[in-house]
Structure formats: C-alpha cells, structure tokens
C-alpha cells in the first residue's frame, strides 16, 4: 500500500481521503465504459498477433469469464471496482520468431492506455510471459508456452449505476 495515502498498517483511512479518491473516480469514465474500451484493446491485440502469426487463433476462455474485484492500493477503501476480463487463449503458442513483434503489439496497446510498467516473468525459447501494469491497477499480460494467453484487467473505476456486485454485461 502507498504509505503517503495510508498512515500505517492498522490505521483506518479518514473519510475525507476516501471522499477525495471517490471524487477522482467520479471524474473518470465509468467502469462499464472502461470495460468496453479494454475489451476492444484485447480484441485488437489478438487480431494483430494473428496477422503476425497466423497459427495463433484466439478464442475466449470459457473457464475464465469476467471477474469483478475490489480495487487495490490507494483505491482499496473506495466504491471503485476493477474487472479482470475473460482471457483470450490460443491452443497454438506464439512462435519464437514472432514473439518480439507480438510483444511489441501488446506493449504499444498497453502504452496507449498508460500501462507502461513492464515486468518480464519469463523470456526463454518457447516460454515467454510479460506483464504491463500501472498505478491505477490496470494490467495486460501476454504469455506463450504450450499455448498462448492474453489477460487484461481494467483500472479502478466507479460502476455507472452504483451497483458493484456484478461485472457489467459484455
């Protein structure tokens, strides 16, 4: 947690600070609009990677649908929510010869959304995993080993109608 926002481990966050953070969230696009925007980003990444590597055919992962989460970090005590979008998967991995281009597609798409902190989890022949994150909690993760996977998480946003109990309809 950011100690500039929270004054210590067990200290309660003052209501004034929560109100400030909620006001910041109200000035941003709604969770529903953000979900649509981030789903389009994921679709664009997968389409571009398939153009680079035609054996990589993406489908929504039926076992991992959209998942509503509370926000983390500074945004934890707010009414904001994040959505871990359903995953895009391909039974065929991204070939090593195309990995660099595929990674650049994901990097550029993430950067357009301000998701610029890059973490390489694995980068060896036939086994790649890179995550892009930002302070608002957004994340883009691209991996390839036996198969390929792309996952996207929205930043913290307020639900349009105040109902934060279920993910927005896709």
């Amino acid at each position: 947690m950011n100690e500039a926002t929270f004054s210590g481990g067990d200290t309660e966050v003052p209501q004034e600070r929560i109100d400030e953070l909620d006001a910041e969230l109200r000035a941003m696009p709604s969770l529903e609009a953000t979900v649509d925007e981030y789903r389009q980003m994921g679709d664009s990444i997968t389409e571009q990677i398939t153009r680079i590597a035609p054996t990589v055919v993406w489908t929504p992962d039926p076992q991992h649908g959209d998942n509503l989460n509370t926000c983390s970090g500074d945004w934890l005590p707010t009414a904001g929510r994040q959505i871990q979008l359903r995953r895009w998967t391909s039974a065929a991995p991204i070939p090593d010869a195309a990995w660099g281009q595929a990674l650049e597609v994901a990097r550029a798409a993430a950067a357009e959304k301000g998701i610029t902190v890059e973490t390489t989890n694995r980068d060896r022949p036939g086994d790649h995993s890179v995550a892009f994150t930002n302070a608002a909690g957004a994340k883009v993760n691209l991996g390839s080993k036996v198969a390929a996977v792309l996952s996207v998480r929205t930043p913290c946003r307020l639900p349009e109608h105040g109902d934060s109990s279920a993910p927005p309809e896709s």
Side-chain angles (χ1 to χ4, degrees), residues 5-170:
T5 302
F6 301 102
S7 55
D10 295 330
T11 305
E12 206 170 301
V13 178
Q15 186 61 47
E16 300 82 39
R17 180 62 180 142
I18 295 170
D19 292 344
E20 288 173 18
L21 292 167
D22 279 335
E24 289 178 33
L25 288 171
R26 280 191 296 279
M28 297 175 188
S30 71
L31 178 63
E32 293 79 0
T34 302
V35 165
D36 289 343
E37 181 183 332
Y38 276 62
R39 192 178 316 283
Q40 289 172 9
M41 174 183 59
D43 288 341
S44 176
I45 291 170
T46 59
E47 290 166 9
Q48 291 178 64
I49 291 174
T50 296
R51 282 196 292 273
I52 294 164
T55 59
V56 181
V57 178
W58 301 91
T59 59
D61 182 346
Q63 295 180 356
H64 294 92
D66 291 353
N67 190 12
L68 181 73
N69 298 299
T70 57
C71 297
S72 59
D74 287 355
W75 308 102
L76 181 65
T78 70
R81 297 292 179 261
Q82 294 177 282
I83 302 286
Q84 178 68 48
L85 297 177
R86 54 105 167 109
R87 292 188 212 172
W88 291 262
T89 60
S90 168
I94 300 168
D96 283 338
W99 174 254
Q101 288 179 285
L103 178 58
E104 188 50 43
V105 164
R107 181 182 289 129
E112 283 182 24
K113 304 285 185 222
I115 310 168
T116 57
V117 178
E118 185 171 335
T119 305
T120 300
N121 300 310
R122 291 181 315 279
D123 189 21
R124 50 188 176 255
D127 187 8
H128 307 278
S129 177
V130 175
F132 301 91
T133 59
N134 69 12
K139 185 175 186 177
V140 174
N141 191 68
L142 180 64
S144 181
K145 191 172 181 178
V146 175
V149 65
L150 173 73
S151 63
V152 175
R153 182 177 64 213
T154 70
C156 186
R157 295 290 187 261
L158 286 174
E160 197 169 287
H161 301 292
D163 178 11
S164 59
S165 61
E169 296 296 318
S170 47

